[in-house]
Amino acid sequence: MNVRDITDAEVYELGLEVLLDKLGHAGTIRFLQQCEPTTGDYTVKRHKWLDGLDMETIMQGIQKLR
C-alpha cells in the first residue's frame, strides 16, 4: 500500500487501527489525548523562555544535570 494513494481520512483510520492493535483501547486514548492541539503560539512562548536565559544560567543547568 502506498500512503500517497489514499485519503487523509484513510490514513487516520489505518493509524487508529495500528494504535489499537499495539496499545489497546486505553493506550490509544492516552496517546490521542497527548496529541490534542494546544492553544497559544509555541514560537512566542519559546522565545520568551529562551530570551530570558543567559549563558551562565544555561551552564548552571548543565552542571546540575551532571
Side-chain angles (χ1 to χ4, degrees), residues 32-63:
L32 292 174
Q33 286 173 334
Q34 293 177 36
C35 294
E36 287 182 6
T38 59
T39 60
D41 186 338
Y42 169 76
T43 304
V44 171
K45 290 178 184 178
R46 183 175 177 271
H47 278 289
K48 284 182 182 178
W49 173 67
L50 290 176
D51 292 346
L53 296 176
D54 58 13
M55 188 57 72
E56 182 64 30
T57 305
I58 294 169
M59 294 303 293
Q60 288 174 356
I62 292 170
Q63 293 298 325

Side-chain angles (χ1 to χ4, degrees), residues 12 15-16 19 23 26-39:
Y12 185 81
L16 285 179
L19 287 171
L23 300 176
T28 298
I29 291 169
R30 285 180 58 194
F31 177 80
L32 292 174
Q33 286 173 334
Q34 293 177 36
C35 294
E36 287 182 6
T38 59
T39 60

